[in-house]
């Protein structure tokens, strides 16, 4: 019972719990809150694995920006009292079945794969952020630039999509 | 001089040429179309007359010319023409009567809008009839037979805007079709059993006894069925009276002189087949005899002048069939002889009736009268025609009728003889009833009648002349026609079966026939001329008898209920079947396809989540499939 | 008991399935977007786990994760923009009523 295991256990519990609650809450704002908890727990998992930079980025991007964006989306749109429509119940159960099947399949796949027990990489002397920085700006610099272009395009696209129609410039 | 026979094929071609010319230029020609028709038919007549004369001189052999037309396996079917005794006579009759009718129609149809069309049809008909007559094999005969039927249909339905005319045309075509079916089956059977359509080959097969007796009988009877249809014998006689809806020249040409004679001609042309079968001959004789008296009895009471003549035609054709049926040389000759004389005097009678109708604009005899003074030429020629048909010496009808009676007596068919004599009485009676009602007495009509133009009376005079002299070609004292007709291969066949020589009526029979005819005329005179005997005597005392005759023995009504109605129901049933079941099946297929399509279209709901679910499902299947079938045990570790 | 790769993979799997269920089932379009984010997160966990425990442990897994996050962010932004535009036209966020792609 190592500390790592305990931490992992708690964090994964929080993660899964948050996700399940998200699904089962009725009011949208509650859903967003539980999702936020999930995001943070995932960040914790990242740190546990030793990817601190990614963990921080996770907190910043997901629980910081994306959750807020969702809240904005919720606030800007009207949400009716949440009731299941007719005929939905059977569809939902059907999908549940499917998803369970998917789960079972992949679970079995994971269990039956012989994961090679390779030793974790030797801890390099540098911090995780520096490590990432070293690789990104040498090997992956082009995808990095492309991603920035992507973000620009997304920005402009979002502005145009959400613009009110009929506005004369 | 054999060379002229080589040109016999031209005879039908001139009317065909007339047809083509009138079809092409009819609209421009208008009444000029009649000239085209007349001139070309006259040329045909000229050639026919020359050929006839040539053959009559004697010694000219039968001439036949054929070309290969179709080849089916080993069998070759020919097209061509032949000229023999019977043919040559028919060629002259047909061309002459056609020519006279066309000249007459120039006056009768004057002012009609569709004048060229009428001449087109006449030309086409003449072509078909001539083609029929010179055909050397049964298939060709059948082709022209059908063509003649078509022309009859066209001409009877000439006034197509009248519903009665339309119905009559249809009736003519359909009823003769029934006969044609029998003929066709007969031809097919003969072909099957003898391997050929050609007359000479069939006759040879029959003569050599290659066919079983029942085969010969069957074939002969079937051919006779065709003749029954075309010649309007009982029970297929119903179309002929109705065919009087056509213009009168049509009735004269087709339904008196030529087309209806085609049936008699066919029996005569295939006579060797009939001779080989006693049964067939008996059938022919009795059908003919029965028809003769049956039709005559109906003609007694009819009011329409053309209908009386139509029933008279049926009756006279019955006489001809009877003559052919009693067999022997006498019968063959008598039948053919009567064919010729009948053509002339019946055409004369019809054209005369047309002249009357043209003048008084009615066809009901009870609305005519006293026309003797106003239309002397017509009256005179009509009288000659009546005398001829009644068989009065020395007109043509006398000689041909006594030939028939002699043949019947000579064959010892006394029952038929009685029938014939009674029918002769009836014939004389109703013809003169017609004559007296139309031409004598006071004018009951409303129209001011006057004589017809010379273009109409001219043919009447020509035919009257023929009605007088045509009989002299075959008197007992100078049997020219007999000798001539029998000098053919057919004659030889007849001779081989029935022995040499022909018999003419004994003198006492001639006198008896004459007496009976006079009696008929006397009775008609008393009833309708002098009105000593009231015309209503029979209708008053025996109304049912009168009604039977007037209503044509209800044969038409019988056919309507037995055949026409059920066919109508069958038509309705089949129509419903077609509409609901067949169309229904097609519609059902369409609906099923549509339904399946609609079902599948429901998948396209526009719901993203459904699409996602389907993608997921597909992915699942794919994974499972790959994992189960991949080589090396699959990536799920099967090959552990 | 040690934390092996399978544990991380399992966690990710559960998360993924939950997200999948939500994406295919929920009626509210915003919730669907949320579920999609959940799925993306599950993928990120996988990537990071492989970067440490996988066949060829390296830092590339984490870099891939960063890129994935970036794209997810862009996608969320655009998704919401579309949703708002749609809401402006149809006044509803009910997925059942978004069937413009019907046949």
């Amino acid at each position: 019972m190592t500390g790592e295991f305990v931490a992992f256990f708690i964090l994964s519990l929080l993660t899964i719990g948050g996700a399940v609650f998200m699904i089962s809450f009725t009011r949208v704002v509650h859903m967003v809150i539980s999702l936020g908890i999930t995001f943070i727990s995932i960040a914790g998992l990242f740190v546990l694995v030793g990817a601190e930079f990614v963990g921080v980025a996770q907190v910043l991007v997901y629980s910081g920006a994306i959750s807020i964006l969702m809240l904005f989306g919720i606030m800007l749109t009207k949400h009716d009292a949440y009731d299941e429509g007719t005929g939905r119940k059977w569809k939902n159960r059907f999908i549940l079945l499917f998803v369970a099947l998917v789960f079972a399949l992949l679970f079995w796949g994971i269990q039956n794969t012989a994961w090679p027990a390779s030793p974790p990489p030797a801890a390099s002397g540098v911090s995780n952020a520096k490590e990432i920085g070293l690789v990104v700006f040498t090997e992956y610099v082009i995808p990095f630039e492309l991603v920035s272009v992507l973000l620009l395009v997304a920005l402009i696209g979002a502005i145009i999509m959400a613009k009110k129609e009929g506005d004369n410039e | 001089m054999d060379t002229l026979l080589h040109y016999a094929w031209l005879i039908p071609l001139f009317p065909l040429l007339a047809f083509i010319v009138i079809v092409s230029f009819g609209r421009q020609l208008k009444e000029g179309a009649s000239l085209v028709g007349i001139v070309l038919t006259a040329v045909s007549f000229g050639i026919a007359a020359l050929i006839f004369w040539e053959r009559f001189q004697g010694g000219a052999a039968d001439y036949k010319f054929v070309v290969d037309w179709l080849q089916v396996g080993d069998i070759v079917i020919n097209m061509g023409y032949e000229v023999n005794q019977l043919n040559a006579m028919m060629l002259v009759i047909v061309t002459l009567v056609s020519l006279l009718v066309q000249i007459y129609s120039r006056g009768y149809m004057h002012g009609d809008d569709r004048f060229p069309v009428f001449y087109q049809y006449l030309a086409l008909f003449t072509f078909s009839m001539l083609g029929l007559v010179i055909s050397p094999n049964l298939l060709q005969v059948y082709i022209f037979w059908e063509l003649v039927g078509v022309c009859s249909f066209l001409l009877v339905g000439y006034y197509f805007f009248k519903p009665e005319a339309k119905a009559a045309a249809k009736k003519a075509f359909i009823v003769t079709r029934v006969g044609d079916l029998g003929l066709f089956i007969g031809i097919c059977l003969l072909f099957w059993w003898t391997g050929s359509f050609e007359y000479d080959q069939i006759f040879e097969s029959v003569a050599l006894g290659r066919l079983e007796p029942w085969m010969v009988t069957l074939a002969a009877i079937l051919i006779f069925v065709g003749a029954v249809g075309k010649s309007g014998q009982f029970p297929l006689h119903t179309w002929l009276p109705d065919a009087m809806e056509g213009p009168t020249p049509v009735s004269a040409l087709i339904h008196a002189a030529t087309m209806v004679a085609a049936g008699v001609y066919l029996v005569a042309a295939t006579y060797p087949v009939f001779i080989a079968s006693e049964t067939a001959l008996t059938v022919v004789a009795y059908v003919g005899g029965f028809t003769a008296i049956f039709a005559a009895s109906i003609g007694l009471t009819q009011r329409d002048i053309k209908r009386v003549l139509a029933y008279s035609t049926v009756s006279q054709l019955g006489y001809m069939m009877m003559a052919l049926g009693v067999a022997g040389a006498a019968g063959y000759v008598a039948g053919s002889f009567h064919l010729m004389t009948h053509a002339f005097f019946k055409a004369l009678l019809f054209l005369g009736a047309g002249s009357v109708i043209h003048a008084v604009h009615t066809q009901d005899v009870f609305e005519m009268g006293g026309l003797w003074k106003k239309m002397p030429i017509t009256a005179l020629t009509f009288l000659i025609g009546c005398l001829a048909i009644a068989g009065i010496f020395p007109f043509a009808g006398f000689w041909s009728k006594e030939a028939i009676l002699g043949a019947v007596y000579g064959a010892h068919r006394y029952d038929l003889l009685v029938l014939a004599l009674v029918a002769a009485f009836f014939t004389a009676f109703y013809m003169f009833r017609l004559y007296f009602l139309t031409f004598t007495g006071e004018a009951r009509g409303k129209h001011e009648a006057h004589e017809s133009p010379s273009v109409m009376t001219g043919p009447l005079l020509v035919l009257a002349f023929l009605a007088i002299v045509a009989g002299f070609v075959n008197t007992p004292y100078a049997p020219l026609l007999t000798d001539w007709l029998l000098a053919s291969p057919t004659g030889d066949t007849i001779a081989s079966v029935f022995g040499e020589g022909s018999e003419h009526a004994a003198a006492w029979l001639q006198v008896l026939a004459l007496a009976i005819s006079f009696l008929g005329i006397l009775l008609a005179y008393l009833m309708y001329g002098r009105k000593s005997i009231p015309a209503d005597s029979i209708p008053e005392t025996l109304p049912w008898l009168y009604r039977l005759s007037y209503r044509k023995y209800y044969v038409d009504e019988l056919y309507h209920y037995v055949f026409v109605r059920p066919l109508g129901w069958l038509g309705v049933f089949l129509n419903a079947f077609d509409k609901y079941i067949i169309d229904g099946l097609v519609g059902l297929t369409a609906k099923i396809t549509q339904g399946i399509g609609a079902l599948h279209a429901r998948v396209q709901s526009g719901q993203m989540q459904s699409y996602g679910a389907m993608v997921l499902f597909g992915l699942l299947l794919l994974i499972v499939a790959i994992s189960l079938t991949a080589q090396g045990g699959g990536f799920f570790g099967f090959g552990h | 008991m040690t934390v092996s790769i399978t544990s991380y993979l399992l966690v990710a799997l559960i998360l993924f399935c939950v997200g999948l269920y939500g994406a295919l089932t929920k009626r509210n379009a915003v919730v669907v977007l949320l579920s999609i984010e959940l799925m993306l997160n599950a993928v990120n966990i996988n990537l990071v786990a492989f970067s440490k425990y996988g066949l060829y442990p390296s830092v590339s897994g984490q870099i891939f994760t960063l890129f994935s996050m970036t794209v997810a962010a862009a996608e969320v932004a655009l998704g919401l923009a579309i949703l708002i535009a749609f809401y402006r036209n149809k006044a509803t966020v009910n997925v059942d009523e978004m069937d413009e792609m019907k046949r």
Side-chain angles (χ1 to χ4, degrees):
Chain A
M1 199 64 116
T2 61
E4 193 195 352
F5 182 72
V6 172
F8 173 77
F9 191 72
I10 294 172
L11 282 169
S12 49
L13 210 62
L14 276 172
T15 314
I16 293 170
V20 170
F21 276 128
M22 187 208 96
I23 288 294
S24 54
F25 276 146
T26 45
R27 298 191 35 191
V28 198
V29 181
H30 298 175
M31 288 182 177
V32 177
I33 307 271
S34 38
L35 198 64
I37 294 178
T38 304
F39 287 155
I40 295 180
S41 318
I42 291 176
L45 279 174
F46 286 159
V47 169
L48 197 59
V49 170
E52 299 98 12
F53 185 76
V54 182
V56 172
Q58 164 88 354
V59 170
L60 280 173
V61 173
Y62 270 102
S63 61
I66 289 182
S67 308
I68 305 300
L69 261 180
M70 289 298 178
L71 277 172
F72 269 124
I74 289 163
M75 286 191 288
L76 285 174
T77 56
K78 191 175 78 162
H79 301 272
D80 310 336
Y82 210 59
D83 54 313
E84 292 286 321
T86 49
R88 268 248 155 193
K89 272 217 194 111
W90 285 108
K91 256 209 241 167
N92 293 354
R93 287 192 189 153
F94 199 54
I95 303 242
L96 182 62
L97 185 66
F98 263 152
V99 170
L101 265 170
V102 170
F103 178 78
L105 211 58
L106 288 172
F107 179 76
W108 186 59
I110 291 173
Q111 289 298 99
N112 285 348
T113 314
W115 303 108
S118 53
S124 53
V126 294
S127 68
N128 185 249
K130 190 164 180 188
E131 207 183 330
I132 289 178
L134 275 172
V135 179
V136 167
F137 289 109
T138 50
E139 275 183 56
Y140 299 111
V141 73
I142 294 185
F144 177 76
E145 298 299 331
L146 286 176
V147 157
S148 59
V149 173
L150 176 78
L151 281 172
L152 182 67
V153 169
L155 173 71
I156 297 174
I159 292 175
I160 293 179
M161 290 298 297
K163 209 171 68 157
K164 267 217 171 66
E165 290 172 25
D167 265 3
N168 291 336
E169 285 293 318
Chain B
M1 277 258 292
D2 254 343
T3 50
L4 196 56
L5 284 179
H6 292 212
Y7 295 106
W9 58 277
L10 281 177
I11 300 182
L13 284 186
F14 280 107
L16 182 64
L17 181 64
F19 173 69
I20 294 174
V21 169
I22 300 177
V23 166
S24 320
F25 300 111
R27 212 162 302 172
Q28 290 89 324
L29 286 171
K30 289 204 230 302
E31 304 238 338
S34 64
L35 281 175
V36 174
I38 291 171
V39 166
L40 288 169
T41 312
V43 173
S44 279
F45 170 63
I47 303 180
L50 283 172
I51 290 184
F52 179 74
W53 184 246
E54 191 185 313
R55 294 207 63 98
F56 202 66
Q57 299 289 32
D62 286 350
Y63 178 72
K64 180 168 144 170
F65 175 79
V66 291
V67 293
D68 290 351
W69 177 41
L70 290 177
Q71 185 149 4
V72 182
D74 290 334
I75 301 170
V76 178
I77 300 175
N78 302 323
M79 269 280 210
Y81 64 94
E82 84 172 331
V83 181
N84 55 37
Q85 320 289 55
L86 191 62
N87 273 352
M89 186 179 83
M90 285 297 294
L91 283 173
V92 171
I93 297 174
V94 174
T95 47
L96 179 60
V97 176
S98 175
L99 176 65
L100 291 171
V101 164
Q102 290 190 36
I103 296 176
Y104 179 91
S105 304
R106 207 170 137 75
Y108 189 84
M109 301 296 290
H110 174 70
D112 191 292
D113 286 334
R114 293 163 62 224
F115 191 89
V117 175
F118 185 73
Y119 272 87
Q120 273 173 30
Y121 292 161
L122 278 185
L124 185 65
F125 170 79
T126 312
F127 160 68
S128 318
M129 190 69 204
L130 289 169
L132 196 159
V133 159
I134 63 171
S135 296
N137 61 51
L138 280 172
L139 186 64
Q140 211 173 322
V141 164
Y142 190 72
I143 294 173
F144 283 110
W145 187 269
E146 294 294 338
L147 254 178
V148 167
V150 168
C151 293
S152 170
F153 169 82
L154 288 170
L155 282 163
V156 169
Y158 182 71
Y159 297 126
F160 59 83
F161 33 82
K162 276 173 49 178
E164 303 93 29
K166 278 198 291 202
K170 268 193 293 187
K171 186 171 177 179
F173 196 72
I174 294 175
V175 174
T176 50
R177 206 87 191 90
V178 176
D180 296 346
L181 185 65
L183 177 62
F184 188 64
I185 297 177
I187 294 178
C188 289
L189 285 176
L190 275 177
F191 180 73
W192 183 27
W193 290 326
T194 62
S196 164
F197 289 113
E198 307 286 322
Y199 279 140
D200 41 17
Q201 293 192 7
I202 294 176
F203 297 158
E204 202 183 304
S205 300
V206 169
L208 289 176
R210 287 206 208 117
L211 277 74
E212 309 268 327
W214 66 268
M215 289 178 169
V216 179
T217 308
L218 184 62
I221 290 181
L222 284 170
I223 293 180
F224 181 59
V225 168
V228 162
K230 240 348 165 249
S231 296
Q233 303 296 290
F234 181 86
L236 297 174
H237 64 282
T238 50
W239 67 273
L240 228 162
D242 285 8
M244 298 297 117
E245 293 289 336
T248 311
V250 168
S251 307
L253 179 61
I254 300 187
H255 304 122
T258 43
M259 187 181 96
V260 294
V264 178
Y265 168 74
L266 184 67
V267 173
T270 55
Y271 210 53
V273 177
F274 281 90
I275 291 183
S277 163
E278 261 304 310
T279 326
L281 284 174
T282 316
V283 168
V284 172
Y286 278 95
V287 168
F290 177 73
T291 307
I293 196 166
F294 176 77
S297 66
I298 298 181
L300 290 173
T301 53
Q302 299 300 312
R303 300 171 65 114
D304 183 335
I305 189 174
K306 282 176 73 171
R307 258 170 223 248
V308 174
L309 292 175
Y311 281 108
S312 163
T313 304
V314 174
S315 174
Q316 296 299 309
L317 288 167
Y319 262 102
M320 291 179 224
M321 291 296 189
M322 187 171 68
L324 285 172
V326 295
Y332 177 72
V333 171
S336 314
F337 183 32
H338 198 58
L339 182 64
M340 181 178 83
T341 56
H342 175 265
F344 296 138
F345 59 66
K346 194 43 75 60
L348 169 64
L349 285 167
F350 264 110
L351 290 182
S355 177
V356 168
I357 295 172
H358 188 74
V360 301
H361 299 283
T362 177
Q363 295 184 233
D364 188 341
V365 270
F366 288 105
E367 289 179 23
M368 304 178 195
L371 291 173
W372 170 269
K373 297 191 196 66
K374 305 203 188 116
M375 311 176 68
I377 303 180
T378 307
L380 181 64
T381 52
F382 200 85
L383 179 63
I384 292 175
C386 286
L387 287 169
I389 197 173
I392 304 294
F393 178 91
F395 297 95
F398 170 72
W399 303 109
S400 55
K401 211 169 244 183
E402 68 92 12
I404 294 179
L405 292 172
V408 173
Y409 178 72
H412 307 292
R413 304 264 198 176
Y414 301 117
D415 44 359
L416 285 175
L417 184 64
V418 170
L419 277 182
L421 287 170
V422 176
F425 174 71
F426 283 164
T427 306
F429 175 73
Y430 65 65
M431 286 312 301
F432 274 89
R433 163 181 179 264
L434 198 68
Y435 183 77
F436 287 125
L437 279 173
T438 311
F439 291 101
T440 63
E442 296 146 28
R444 288 181 292 274
K446 301 154 205 108
H447 281 269
E448 193 50 50
H450 51 83
E451 185 59 85
S452 304
S454 57
V455 76
M456 284 167 69
T457 54
L460 286 177
L461 288 167
V462 173
L463 283 171
F465 173 71
L466 283 169
I468 300 174
V469 305
F472 293 123
V473 300
N474 198 37
T475 67
Y477 318 107
L480 302 168
L481 191 67
T482 312
D483 295 338
W484 181 65
L485 271 179
L486 290 176
S488 66
T490 312
D492 294 337
T493 319
I494 301 173
S496 69
V497 175
F498 288 99
E500 283 289 339
S502 68
E503 296 169 38
H504 277 273
W508 67 267
L509 193 56
Q510 293 182 10
V511 172
L512 179 63
L514 209 54
I516 290 180
S517 301
F518 271 123
L519 258 174
I521 299 177
L522 185 65
L523 189 62
Y525 177 64
L526 287 176
M527 270 195 168
Y528 297 101
R530 274 246 294 238
K531 307 249 176 43
S532 334
I533 306 177
D536 295 339
S537 51
I538 303 247
E540 301 250 305
T541 51
L542 299 167
W544 57 270
L545 195 65
Y546 176 78
R547 223 178 315 122
L548 262 186
S549 164
Y550 187 64
R551 298 300 304 268
K552 307 166 271 164
Y553 295 94
Y554 297 103
V555 176
D556 275 317
E557 285 80 353
L558 180 71
Y559 285 168
H560 182 75
Y561 284 110
V562 172
F563 296 114
V564 177
R565 281 274 192 88
L567 269 176
W569 295 331
L570 184 66
V572 168
F573 166 70
L574 286 175
N575 187 39
F577 184 79
D578 181 48
K579 199 160 92 155
Y580 293 115
I581 297 184
I582 300 204
D583 278 357
L585 272 176
V586 171
L588 188 68
T589 316
K591 283 224 166 55
I592 288 179
T593 316
Q594 258 187 324
I596 294 180
L599 210 63
H600 282 90
R602 293 231 311 249
V603 166
Q604 304 289 327
S605 57
Q607 300 288 336
M608 273 312 295
Q609 295 185 325
S610 314
Y611 295 171
M614 282 180 238
V615 169
L616 178 67
F617 182 59
L619 185 66
L620 259 180
L621 280 178
L622 208 59
I623 292 173
V624 169
I626 290 176
S627 70
L628 285 176
T629 60
Q631 303 287 12
F635 70 92
F636 274 132
F638 266 116
H640 254 18
Chain C
M1 295 229 290
T2 50
V3 186
S4 64
I5 182 160
T6 47
S7 343
Y8 285 103
L9 293 183
L10 271 172
V11 170
L13 178 62
I14 294 172
L15 230 54
F16 184 81
C17 289
V18 170
L20 187 61
Y21 178 73
L24 290 180
T25 314
K26 291 298 169 185
R27 258 187 358 149
N28 195 326
V30 179
V31 177
V32 171
L33 280 168
L34 284 176
S35 313
I36 292 172
E37 289 312 307
L38 200 52
M39 283 197 274
L40 282 165
N41 269 290
V43 170
N44 287 347
I45 296 178
N46 253 3
L47 285 167
V48 167
F50 277 125
S51 95
K52 181 154 178 212
Y53 295 113
L55 280 179
Y56 306 104
S58 75
V59 82
S60 313
Q62 300 176 23
I63 295 173
F64 203 149
T65 310
L66 285 172
F67 287 142
S68 165
M69 268 195 241
T70 319
V71 173
E75 171 247 323
V76 162
L78 275 167
L80 276 172
I82 291 174
L83 184 71
I84 289 184
F86 193 89
Y87 178 75
R88 208 177 282 139
N89 272 326
K90 288 287 172 83
T92 177
V93 285
N94 191 340
V95 171
D96 289 338
E97 291 172 37
M98 298 181 185
D99 56 0
E100 299 295 314
M101 286 208 302
K102 223 156 106 142
R103 59 177 170 100

